C-alpha cells in the first residue's frame, strides 16, 4: 500500500481523498508542516509516498500520471508530488527543512507540495512531470478559482483522454487507423479484469506461434488461418502496450518481453511458412533466412544510427531540415511511414499474402519491400550523416562498440594496431564483409573461403582500432551483421543437403537474439551484455571464421550437425544470461510513450 499525505485543511465536498484511495493510496492528514514530517517518518521506507495539497482540484487521471508511474523515482503535477524509495531520503530532507522553516505552522494557505517539488529539483533529483494536455491539475486559492477549476474538470472527459493517451504518439498508418481505434477498448477491458500487459504479451506470442503452426501445415485452410491469427496476434501486440500506458503498469520484465517477443513471433512465422512450403514440395528456407537477415540488418541500422546521434551536440543537417519540412504536410508523413514497412504494414502484408498466395510469393514480396525500405531509410541517414555537423560523445562511441560485438580475435588485434594504422572504419568493415561473403559465393566450403574469413577478422580489427565517432561509423555494426549472417546463409545454401538451411536459420536466429538483447540493454541504460558472454560465443568474427572452417573440414551432412550444435550452444548461453538479467536486474523499463494526455 502506498501512502498519500494530505497537507492543509480538507475542502468540504472534495473527492480528493476517495480519488487517492482508488489509486491505491492510504490517505493521512497533515494540518501542519510538522505533522507532515511525523507522518512521513512513519511510512515504511520501501513504500511509495505522495504529498498532496488538500485544495487540489483536477482529473483522476492527472493524479494517476503524476503519482503512480513506476518508471520514475520522483514525479509531480501541480499540487502533488510522489517519490519511490530511491528518492525517499531527498523528500525527507525537504520536508524537514520546510517544517523547520515554518516552525510547525499550519500549511493551509501554503502549497507545500510545490515547494517540495522545487526542493527535489534543487537537490538533484530528476522529477518527472507528465504532459497533461487537456487534463486539469490545479490548486485554487479562493472559492472563485475553485469553481472555475471544477468547471474545467467537468468540461473534459477524463476517460476519453485516458483512452487516447494509451495510444502511441507516433505509429504507422495501418496501426493508427486499422488497429488502435478498437484495440484501446480491448486494453481497457483487460485493465478492468485485472489482466497485466505481460499476460497480453504472452497471449500475443502464443497466438503467433499457433499461426506459425497453421502455416506449417502447408494447406490452403492452414494458410488462411495463419494469416488471420497473425493479424489477431498483432492486435494483441498493440493492446499490451496500450494496457501498460492505460493502467501505468510498466516493468523491466514487460519491456524485455515486448521487445523480444515481436522478433520471436515474426521469425517463427517465417519458419512456419518455410515448413508449410516444404510440405508442398517447395524449398524456401533460403528465402526465409534471407528475410530474417534483411529485417535484422534493418533494425541494426536503426539502432546504430539512433545511438550514434541521439546525444550528439551541434546536431544539425540540411537533410534533417528538409525531412522536418515534409513532416509539416500530413499526407507526406503517412506516405513516408508506410514505405518503410513498419511492423503493422509488414505483418498485414504478410498475413494477406499468406492467405491468398504461396509462401514463395510471400517471401519474394517481403524481400523486395524490405529491400526498398532499407535502401530508402539507409540512404537518407547516410545523407544526414554526411551533411550533419555534429560532435559525437564517448557514450555514443561505446554504444557502437558494444553493438559491433567484437570478440576474442578482434580485441587483441585492435590493441596491437592501435596508434599504427589509420583507416576509415566503415570502409574496413564493408571491405571485410564483401571479401568473406564473395569468397563463400565463389568457392563455397573451401580453404580459400577460410583465408578470406581470416582477412575479414583482420579488417574487422582495423575497423574498431579507434573510437567510432566518425560521421558514418554507425554503419560498422550493420556491416558486421550482414557479413556474418550472409556467410552462414551462403555456405548453408551451397551445402545442398536437406536440413542445413533450417540449421542455419536456427543459428542466425540465436545470434540475432543476442544482438537484439544487446540493443535493449543499451536502450535501458544498463550497458552491454557481460564481456564473458561475448567472448564465450566468439564475437561476430569468431563465429564467422568458425563456420567457414567447419564448412571446409566437414562433409555436408556433418556440417548440418555442426551448425545445429552451434545454434543450440549459442541459444542456451544467450537465453540463460538474458533471462537472468531481465528478471533480476534493476534496469529501467523501455517503453514507447503514448499521446500526451
Amino acid at each position: 500500500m502506498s501512502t498519500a499525505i494530505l497537507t492543509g485543511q480538507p475542502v468540504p465536498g472534495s473527492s480528493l481523498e476517495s480519488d487517492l484511495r482508488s489509486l491505491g493510496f492510504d490517505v493521512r492528514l497533515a494540518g501542519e508542516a510538522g505533522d507532515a514530517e511525523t507522518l512521513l517518518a512513519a511510512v515504511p521506507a520501501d513504500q511509495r509516498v505522495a504529498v498532496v495539497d488538500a485544495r487540489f482540484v483536477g482529473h483522476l487521471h492527472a493524479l494517476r500520471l503524476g503519482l503512480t508511474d513506476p518508471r520514475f523515482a520522483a514525479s509531480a503535477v501541480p499540487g502533488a508530488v510522489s517519490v519511490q524509495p530511491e528518492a525517499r531520503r531527498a523528500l525527507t530532507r525537504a520536508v524537514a527543512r520546510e517544517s523547520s522553516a515554518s516552525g510547525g505552522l499550519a500549511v493551509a494557505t501554503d502549497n507545500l507540495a510545490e515547494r517540495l517539488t522545487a526542493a527535489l529539483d534543487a537537490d538533484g533529483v530528476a522529477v518527472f512531470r507528465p504532459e497533461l494536455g487537456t487534463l486539469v491539475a490545479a490548486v485554487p486559492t479562493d472559492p472563485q478559482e475553485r469553481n472555475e477549476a471544477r468547471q474545467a474538470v467537468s468540461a473534459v472527459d477524463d476517460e476519453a483522454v485516458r483512452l487516447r493517451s494509451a495510444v502511441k504518439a507516433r505509429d504507422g498508418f495501418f496501426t493508427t487507423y486499422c488497429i488502435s481505434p478498437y484495440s484501446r477498448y480491448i486494453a481497457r477491458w483487460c485493465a478492468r479484469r485485472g489482466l497485466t500487459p505481460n499476460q497480453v504479451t504472452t497471449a500475443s506470442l502464443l497466438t503467433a506461434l499457433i499461426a506459425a503452426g497453421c502455416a506449417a501445415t502447408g494447406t490452403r485452410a492452414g494458410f488462411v488461418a495463419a494469416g488471420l491469427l497473425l493479424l489477431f496476434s498483432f492486435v494483441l501486440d498493440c493492446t499490451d502496450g496500450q494496457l501498460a500506458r492505460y493502467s501505468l503498469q510498466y516493468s523491466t520484465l514487460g519491456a524485455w518481453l515486448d521487445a523480444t517477443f515481436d522478433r520471436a513471433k515474426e521469425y517463427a512465422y517465417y519458419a512456419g511458412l518455410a515448413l508449410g512450403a516444404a510440405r508442398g514440395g517447395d524449398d524456401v528456407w533460403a528465402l526465409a533466412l534471407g528475410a530474417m537477415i534483411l529485417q535484422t540488418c534493418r533494425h541494426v541500422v536503426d539502432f546504430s544510427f539512433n545511438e550514434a546521434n541521439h546525444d550528439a551536440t551541434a546536431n544539425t543537417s540540411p537533410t534533417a531540415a528538409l525531412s522536418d519540412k515534409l513532416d509539416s504536410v500530413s499526407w507526406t508523413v503517412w506516405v513516408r511511414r508506410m514505405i518503410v514497412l513498419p511492423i503493422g504494414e509488414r505483418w498485414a502484408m504478410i498475413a494477406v499474402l499468406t492467405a491468398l498466395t504461396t509462401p514463395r510469393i510471400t517471401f519474394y514480396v517481403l524481400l523486395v519491400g524490405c529491400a526498398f525500405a532499407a535502401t530508402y531509410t539507409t540512404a537518407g541517414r547516410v545523407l544526414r550523416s554526411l551533411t550533419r555537423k555534429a560532435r559525437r560523445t564517448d557514450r555514443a562511441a561505446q554504444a557502437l562498440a558494444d553493438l559491433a560485438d567484437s570478440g576474442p580475435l578482434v580485441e587483441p588485434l585492435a590493441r596491437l594496431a592501435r596508434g599504427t594504422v589509420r583507416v576509415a572504419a566503415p570502409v574496413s568493415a564493408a571491405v571485410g564483409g564483401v571479401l568473406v561473403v564473395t569468397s563463400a559465393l565463389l568457392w563455397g566450403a573451401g580453404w580459400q573461403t577460410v583465408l578470406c574469413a581470416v582477412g575479414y577478422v583482420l579488417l574487422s580489427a582495423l575497423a574498431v582500432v579507434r573510437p567510432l565517432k566518425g560521421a558514418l561509423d554507425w554503419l560498422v555494426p550493420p556491416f558486421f551483421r550482414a557479413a556474418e549472417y550472409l556467410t552462414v546463409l551462403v555456405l548453408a545454401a551451397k551445402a545442398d543437403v536437406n536440413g542445413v538451411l533450417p540449421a542455419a536459420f536456427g543459428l542466425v536466429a540465436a545470434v540475432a537474439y543476442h544482438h537484439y538483447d544487446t540493443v535493449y540493454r543499451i536502450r535501458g541504460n544498463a550497458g552491454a551484455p557481460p564481456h564473458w558472454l561475448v567472448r564465450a560465443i566468439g564475437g561476430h568474427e569468431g563465429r564467422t571464421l568458425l563456420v567457414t572452417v567447419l564448412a571446409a573440414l566437414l562433409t555436408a551432412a556433418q556440417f548440418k550437425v555442426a551448425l545445429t550444435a552451434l545454434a543450440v550452444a549459442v541459444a542456451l548461453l544467450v537465453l540463460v544470461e538474458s533471462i537472468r538479467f531481465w528478471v533480476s536486474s534493476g534496469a529501467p523499463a523501455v517503453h514507447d510513450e503514448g499521446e500526451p494526455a
Side-chain angles (χ1 to χ4, degrees):
M1 173 74 74
S2 302
T3 298
I5 299 174
L6 275 185
T7 61
Q9 297 302 317
V11 177
S14 173
S15 63
L16 182 57
E17 286 191 47
S18 61
D19 287 345
L20 290 170
R21 290 192 175 94
S22 72
L23 295 177
F25 286 96
D26 178 22
V27 181
R28 302 180 185 180
L29 304 179
E32 300 178 351
D35 294 340
E37 184 179 12
T38 302
L39 292 172
L40 178 61
V43 178
D46 60 345
Q47 285 188 10
R48 174 191 289 273
V49 62
V51 177
V52 184
D53 194 298
R55 297 165 297 172
F56 176 89
V57 174
H59 287 99
L60 175 63
H61 192 50
L63 283 174
R64 181 182 289 108
L65 291 171
L67 304 183
T68 68
D69 198 320
R71 296 171 297 171
F72 307 102
S75 54
V77 292
V81 61
S82 169
V83 300
Q84 302 238 56
E86 54 264 39
R88 178 70 171 275
R89 184 173 299 177
L91 179 66
T92 300
R93 289 195 299 266
V95 171
R97 288 195 296 267
E98 290 297 325
S99 177
S100 176
S102 68
L105 298 178
V107 294
T109 60
D110 183 28
N111 195 333
L112 179 61
E114 289 294 310
R115 294 171 62 85
L116 293 177
T117 302
L120 291 174
D121 282 328
D123 208 11
V125 177
V127 181
F128 172 69
R129 294 172 173 83
E131 293 185 49
L132 297 180
T134 58
L135 294 177
V136 176
V139 181
T141 58
D142 58 55
Q144 181 178 348
E145 285 187 8
R146 172 169 293 277
N147 184 54
E148 291 173 352
R150 284 176 171 171
Q151 290 178 357
V153 170
S154 300
V156 176
D157 187 342
D158 178 277
E159 181 61 19
V161 172
R162 188 181 179 191
L163 276 171
R164 187 176 68 249
S165 63
V167 178
K168 285 170 64 174
R170 181 182 175 90
D171 224 328
F173 180 89
F174 178 77
T175 305
T176 300
Y177 290 104
C178 300
I179 303 296
S180 293
Y182 58 88
S183 61
R184 68 185 75 182
Y185 295 101
I186 300 176
R188 181 172 67 180
W189 182 89
C190 292
R192 291 178 175 177
R193 283 152 184 81
L195 298 176
T196 67
N198 290 354
Q199 290 170 333
V200 178
T201 301
T202 303
S204 176
L205 173 67
L206 293 175
T207 304
L209 294 179
I210 295 171
C214 291
T217 63
T219 63
R220 178 51 52 194
F223 288 148
V224 172
L228 292 173
L229 286 170
L230 185 65
L231 286 176
F232 183 59
S233 174
F234 182 65
V235 171
L236 293 177
D237 182 59
C238 295
T239 300
D240 64 1
Q242 291 166 358
L243 174 59
R245 288 182 286 271
Y246 180 85
S247 55
L248 300 186
Q249 296 184 74
Y250 299 108
S251 69
T252 300
L253 177 61
W256 172 67
L257 292 177
D258 186 55
T260 56
F261 279 11
D262 279 352
R263 308 286 78 81
K265 288 180 286 190
E266 185 166 359
Y267 299 154
Y269 192 82
Y270 292 175
L273 281 176
L275 288 170
R279 286 180 177 272
D282 189 12
D283 187 354
V284 296
W285 274 106
L287 296 177
L289 180 50
M292 181 168 67
I293 291 172
L294 180 55
Q295 193 57 38
T296 302
C297 289
R298 281 187 64 196
H299 288 147
V300 176
V301 168
D302 294 342
F303 298 140
S304 295
F305 179 81
N306 291 335
E307 286 300 325
N309 292 287
H310 89 282
D311 58 353
T313 57
N315 203 1
T316 59
S317 164
T319 308
L322 174 61
S323 178
D324 293 339
K325 185 176 294 185
L326 289 174
D327 281 346
S328 65
V329 183
S330 60
W331 68 268
T332 65
V333 174
W334 292 118
V335 170
R336 294 170 69 214
R337 289 187 191 179
M338 292 173 68
I339 62 177
V340 299
L341 275 185
I343 186 171
E345 278 75 0
R346 192 169 67 251
W347 282 25
M349 180 183 73
I350 294 171
V352 172
L353 290 173
T354 299
L356 300 180
T357 65
T358 65
R360 180 172 290 274
I361 293 175
T362 300
F363 282 123
Y364 280 153
V365 176
L366 179 63
L367 285 166
V368 171
C370 287
F372 175 81
T375 302
Y376 170 78
T377 55
T378 305
R381 286 166 177 171
V382 168
L383 284 175
R384 288 190 184 200
S385 299
L386 292 175
T387 59
R388 174 176 276 149
K389 296 179 180 179
R391 292 185 295 275
R392 290 170 177 82
T393 63
D394 291 336
R395 179 201 176 279
Q398 184 58 52
L400 291 180
D402 293 333
L403 291 172
D405 194 35
S406 299
L409 299 180
V410 158
E411 288 180 335
L413 290 171
R415 284 195 295 269
L416 287 174
R418 194 162 294 151
T420 61
V421 180
R422 297 179 67 86
V423 62
V427 173
S428 182
V431 170
V434 170
L435 178 66
V436 69
V437 174
T438 302
S439 66
L441 285 168
L442 293 176
W443 297 299
W447 289 105
Q448 303 96 320
T449 304
V450 175
L451 289 176
C452 289
V454 173
Y456 170 71
V457 173
L458 296 174
L459 288 166
S460 297
L462 293 181
V464 295
V465 163
R466 293 181 296 165
L468 298 175
K469 292 186 177 182
L472 295 177
D473 284 0
W474 56 271
L475 287 169
V476 170
F479 283 153
F480 286 163
R481 296 298 80 75
E484 178 184 359
Y485 297 164
L486 287 175
T487 300
V488 174
L489 168 60
V490 172
L491 291 177
K494 280 185 167 290
D496 200 24
V497 170
N498 286 337
V500 178
L501 278 168
F505 188 96
L507 174 60
V508 172
V511 175
Y513 176 86
H514 163 63
H515 292 143
Y516 281 116
D517 187 54
T518 301
V519 165
Y520 288 107
R521 291 193 195 213
I522 292 172
R523 287 182 61 186
N525 295 317
H531 195 57
W532 69 261
L533 177 65
V534 177
R535 296 179 66 86
I537 60 177
H540 70 93
E541 80 288 356
R543 291 187 298 270
T544 304
L545 180 59
L546 176 61
V547 170
T548 62
V549 171
L550 291 174
L553 285 175
L554 306 176
T555 65
Q558 292 170 334
F559 185 52
K560 175 181 71 174
V561 175
L563 282 183
T564 303
L566 183 59
V568 171
V570 171
L572 285 176
L573 280 171
V574 299
L575 280 172
V576 169
E577 164 56 23
S578 177
I579 293 171
R580 181 208 63 79
F581 171 80
W582 288 104
V583 170
S584 63
S585 82
V590 182
H591 281 279
D592 293 318
E593 289 297 325
E595 292 282 3

